[in-house]
Amino acid sequence: MRPGRISKVLAAAAALALALSACTGTPPAPEESSAAPTATEGGNVTVLEAAPFTSFNAASVTGQTATNTRIDAATHSGFTTVDNDLKIVKNEQFGTYEKVKDNPLTVKYTINDGVQWSDGAPVTADDLMLQWAALSGWYNDAVLDENFAVTSGTAYFHAAGDHSGLAQTERPVISDDGKSLTLTYTTAYSDWETALGSTVSIPAHIVAVRAGLADAPALSSVLQSVQQGDPSKQAPPNPTLRKVADFWNTGFDSRSMPNPSLALSNGPYLVKGITADQELVLTRNADYAWGEMPKLDTLTVKYESDTDKQIAALQAGAADVISLSTTQNSAARISALDALNDDGVQIQQGQGLGFDQVVLNFKGVLAPPELRQAFLHTVPRQEIIDEVARPLIADADANAEADAEVLNSFVFRPGQAPYKESSGSNGTKEFAADLVETEGIEQAKELLDGAKPTVRILYNQDDPERVAQYQLIAASAAKAGFTVADAGKNSKEWVAALKAGAFDVALYGWISNPTGSVQLPQIFRTGAVSNFNNFSNTVVDQLTEQLALNPDDAKQNALKMQIDKLVVEAGYGLPLFQRTTLSATGKHVAGVKYSPLDIGPWQSVAAWAYVK
C-alpha cells in the first residue's frame, strides 16, 4: 500500500480480499471429535500458515494479514474476545469497560493492576489513547479521490479498517491514575463494545521513544494537544504527531526478529525468534496471569502456501495443525483429509462466516429490472449446493448434508434467530432453488420476451468452486436465452475488473464480521467502498444510517430485515451458500477447536497441548 492512503483504503482492501462484514449469524455447533488423548503440560506444537509473518502491528494497512492477525491474537490480550456463538465475551481479568451514560454515549475503560507488557512496563490508558488515535482517524484532514488516495491535507495513521465509530467521539479523557480512559460519542454508535479493538497490541511507551518523546504520558500529551482534523480547514502537518503516526504505520513491520522492544507481548505467548520467511517461534509468557493460561512451552509456526503440501506435512507428522481457508477447500482436499483419520488426524469443522453470492451490475445490460429478474430466475442454486457446496464438507461431520443448504438471506445466517422470518419474507422464495428447471427457466423466457442479451460473468478462475458455479450458471442462463460471455477465463486481474465494474454478473464471496452491523453500509449504501455493482436505493441508504445509530438488538434486526427485503426485491443478486471453516490436527496435539472466526483454530491457542 503506497503512502498517502488512510483507513478507508482498508475497507477497500478488505473488500478486495473479499472479507466483508454483513451482519452475523450463529453457526451450527460442529460435531465433537472422539475422546481427546491425554495431553501434558509443556512441549512444542508446529503450525503451518500459508504466508510468512511480516508485522507486529496487525491493525495497520501494511500489517493486516491472516498470519499477522493470528500471531497478534496469541501474543496480546484485551477487554473482549468473541466466542464460537459470535457472542462478545468480556475478559475482566484484563480490565473492565462500562457504559456510564446513554446520552451522550459515554464508555469508561479501566485496565487492572498487574497487567503488563513483557518488558515489565504496565499496560495503561496511554496505550488505549494511542489505539484510539490510530483507529479513529480523528486527526486526519486529508481529502481523498475516488481511489482513496490523498489529494490534499494530511493522513496520519494508516489503520486497516472502518473508523466511522471512533471518529464520532470527543477526545478521550485519561484518569489521574493513568489506568482509565473515558470515551464520549458525539453520535450514538451501535457497535461501541468492539470499536476500540479486541486486543491492546501497540505499546505507547515504545512508540513514544521511537518518535523522540520521553515516555507514554508525553505521547498522550501530544495527542491531547493536536486539534481534530477538518478537511475543510486543513492545517500544516504536526511534525511530532507525524513521527508518532509514521512509526505506528510501519515501524513494527519486520520479517526477521527485530529489536525486542518491537516484539512486546501482553498475552499468553511471546515471540522468541523469527527466521525470515521460514519460521516463527512463540514461547510461553511466564508473567501472563490475566486470561486463560497457556499449556505449551513453545509453538513453532512454519509457512507453506500449497494446501496439498500442508496436508502431506500433517500426514508425515511434520506439522501438527493446519487450517484451510474457504477459498482453498476443494473436494479432492477434503477427501485427502478424510483418508487420514486412521493416522490420528482430527478435523475441526463447522459453518464459517464466509458465503458465496451472485451479484448483478445495475449499470449496463442488466440495468432494466426485468432483465435482472429474468437472470436470477435461471440461477441453479440447488445444483450448486449439490455439486459444489456438499463436496466441501468432510465426512467427519455426521450432519454434513444437512449443513449444506441454500442460503436465503444477504443479511442473516441460518443459525441466527431472525433468519427464518427474513428468508421467508425477503423475496428469495420467488427464486425457489429446486424449481429452476421446471419453472424458473420459463419465467425467465417470459421476461426476456425473445431477447437474447449478452451478459459478462466474472469470477476467480483460480478457485475451482467458482469455476464450477460459473459453468452451472452459464448453462442454465443459456437455456432461457441469455448469451453468456466468460469474463473470468484468462482474467488474473478479476479483482481489478470487479472494482472497475467490468461485469454484468459477478461470483464472489464476503466474510461476515463476527459482531455488530456497522459494515452493512459499506456494501449497500450508494457509492460505498464495497458497493461494486452500482446498487442505489435511497430507503436502504436511510436504513443503514439508522442501523449505525441504534444499539438495540431488536430494532437492529428489524432494520436489517427491511434492508434484506429491499436488496432482494431490487434484483441485487442471490446468496448461494455458507462456506465451512476447516482445520486439521495430528496425533501430537489436543485442545484445538473449530472456530468460525478469521483467526480460525488460533482462537483456542491457550488451550492447545502437546500429546506424547
Side-chain angles (χ1 to χ4, degrees):
M1 192 69 66
R2 67 177 183 268
R5 299 196 174 208
I6 60 176
S7 62
K8 283 189 178 179
V9 177
L10 216 320
L16 301 186
L18 301 182
L20 142 80
S21 37
C23 70
T24 64
T26 303
E31 289 291 303
E32 293 295 331
S33 59
S34 58
T38 303
T40 61
E41 286 286 327
N44 176 76
V45 161
T46 298
V47 186
L48 287 186
E49 289 294 328
F53 177 83
T54 61
S55 180
F56 290 89
N57 186 357
S60 71
V61 167
T62 58
Q64 192 185 61
T65 70
T67 300
N68 296 344
T69 300
R70 291 173 175 189
I71 300 303
D72 179 70
T75 56
H76 296 95
S77 55
F79 293 96
T80 62
T81 57
V82 177
D83 66 15
N84 281 1
D85 293 324
L86 306 183
K87 302 295 184 183
I88 296 171
V89 179
K90 295 181 179 181
N91 179 12
E92 295 189 346
Q93 292 177 273
F94 178 90
T96 59
Y97 64 92
E98 59 177 330
K99 183 166 62 172
V100 297
K101 189 184 297 185
D102 283 311
N103 190 18
L105 175 61
T106 305
V107 185
K108 182 179 181 180
Y109 299 84
T110 302
I111 299 169
N112 291 343
D113 290 335
V115 177
Q116 65 182 38
W117 296 100
S118 49
D119 64 354
V123 178
T124 69
D126 296 314
D127 299 307
L128 300 182
M129 185 74 177
L130 175 59
Q131 188 146 313
W132 166 84
L135 301 184
S136 67
W138 201 80
Y139 300 99
N140 297 331
D141 61 11
V143 173
L144 310 178
D145 64 17
E146 62 182 7
N147 295 316
F148 303 102
V150 174
T151 59
S152 64
T154 304
Y156 288 101
F157 295 95
H158 300 169
D162 179 73
H163 62 236
S164 59
L166 290 179
Q168 301 173 54
T169 60
E170 297 177 357
R171 195 192 310 265
V173 176
I174 294 178
S175 63
D176 290 340
D177 63 6
K179 297 177 182 177
S180 298
L181 178 139
T182 300
L183 270 181
T184 300
Y185 286 80
T186 56
T187 304
Y189 182 58
S190 60
D191 290 354
W192 63 270
E193 278 195 271
T194 56
L196 202 55
S198 58
T199 62
V200 179
S201 303
I202 301 300
H205 65 292
I206 299 301
V207 174
V209 171
R210 292 300 183 116
L213 299 169
D215 52 23
L219 172 54
S220 290
S221 294
V222 172
L223 299 177
Q224 293 285 2
S225 65
V226 179
Q227 294 302 305
Q228 183 174 11
D230 183 347
S232 67
K233 299 177 182 179
Q234 293 174 340
N238 181 286
T240 304
L241 182 58
R242 178 76 276 169
K243 289 180 181 178
V244 169
D246 285 348
F247 194 79
W248 188 94
N249 292 336
T250 60
F252 291 91
D253 294 354
S254 180
R255 288 181 174 270
S256 58
M257 190 66 192
N259 182 299
S261 66
L262 302 183
L264 297 186
S265 166
N266 61 28
Y269 287 97
L270 310 166
V271 175
K272 180 181 181 181
I274 305 175
T275 302
D277 300 328
Q278 295 184 37
E279 71 173 29
L280 177 148
V281 178
L282 297 171
T283 188
R284 191 195 325 233
N285 183 354
D287 296 324
Y288 181 71
W290 42 91
E292 184 178 0
M293 302 297 289
K295 294 178 172 57
L296 296 170
D297 286 334
T298 59
L299 202 161
T300 301
V301 183
K302 295 180 180 291
Y303 314 121
E304 177 52 70
S305 60
D306 188 319
T307 302
D308 296 321
K309 291 181 179 178
Q310 287 190 9
I311 295 172
L314 188 68
Q315 181 179 20
D320 300 304
V321 181
I322 65 171
S323 56
L324 281 65
S325 75
T326 56
T327 57
Q328 293 172 320
N329 290 359
S330 69
R333 288 165 177 162
I334 299 300
S335 296
L337 282 174
D338 281 332
L340 299 182
N341 287 342
D342 291 341
D343 296 329
V345 169
Q346 298 288 315
I347 295 173
Q348 300 81 39
Q349 177 177 249
Q351 293 287 18
L353 298 177
F355 67 96
D356 283 30
Q357 60 182 351
V358 176
V359 174
L360 308 187
N361 199 336
F362 279 62
K363 290 184 179 180
V365 69
L366 294 181
E370 65 274 12
L371 292 187
R372 293 198 299 275
Q373 295 294 318
F375 188 87
L376 294 178
H377 277 298
T378 72
V379 178
R381 293 195 292 162
Q382 190 59 52
E383 274 192 273
I384 290 171
I385 294 299
D386 295 339
E387 298 188 27
V388 180
R390 285 202 175 114
L392 295 178
I393 299 175
D395 290 340
D397 187 341
N399 296 319
E401 292 198 9
D403 288 342
E405 60 184 27
V406 172
L407 182 64
N408 281 314
S409 172
F410 281 108
V411 175
F412 299 105
R413 301 293 157 261
Q416 192 174 15
Y419 175 79
K420 184 176 182 180
E421 182 179 356
S422 191
S423 62
S425 61
N426 63 9
T428 52
K429 63 183 179 182
E430 299 299 322
F431 306 97
D434 57 345
L435 298 179
V436 170
E437 284 289 335
T438 56
E439 297 180 16
I441 300 296
E442 292 306 314
Q443 289 175 297
K445 287 180 178 178
E446 291 178 16
L447 288 165
L448 289 175
D449 193 24
K452 295 183 180 297
T454 297
V455 293
R456 299 164 298 164
I457 302 183
L458 180 67
Y459 60 94
N460 179 6
Q461 66 165 343
D462 294 325
D463 183 338
E465 277 61 57
R466 297 273 158 71
V467 174
Q469 290 172 32
Y470 164 76
Q471 292 170 343
L472 292 170
I473 292 171
S476 184
K479 293 177 183 177
F482 285 98
T483 300
V484 175
D486 186 344
K489 186 178 181 180
N490 300 323
S491 176
K492 290 290 186 181
E493 302 299 327
W494 75 276
V495 172
L498 183 68
K499 283 185 64 181
F503 66 91
D504 301 302
V505 179
L507 309 178
Y508 60 97
W510 289 128
I511 297 177
S512 302
N513 199 53
T515 61
S517 309
V518 72
Q519 292 94 343
L520 273 176
Q522 295 176 15
I523 306 168
F524 298 124
R525 190 181 66 243
T526 301
V529 66
S530 298
N531 185 340
F532 298 134
N533 62 326
N534 302 295
F535 172 73
S536 180
N537 184 295
T538 55
V539 178
V540 171
D541 290 346
Q542 294 168 4
L543 293 172
T544 57
E545 290 179 8
Q546 295 176 39
L547 192 62
L549 301 176
N550 201 319
D552 181 84
D553 288 343
K555 292 179 180 178
Q556 279 202 14
N557 285 336
L559 292 169
K560 292 174 186 177
M561 288 180 65
Q562 293 180 64
I563 293 171
D564 205 19
K565 182 177 176 68
L566 288 167
V567 167
V568 173
E569 288 180 345
Y572 179 92
L574 283 172
L576 297 175
F577 62 90
Q578 256 182 297
R579 292 242 181 176
T580 58
T581 64
L582 190 71
S583 62
T585 55
K587 60 185 178 181
H588 291 299
V589 61
V592 181
K593 299 177 182 178
Y594 146 84
S595 171
L597 306 179
D598 283 347
I599 61 174
W602 285 82
Q603 184 189 23
S604 58
V605 66
W608 294 5
Y610 176 72
V611 178
K612 292 183 178 180

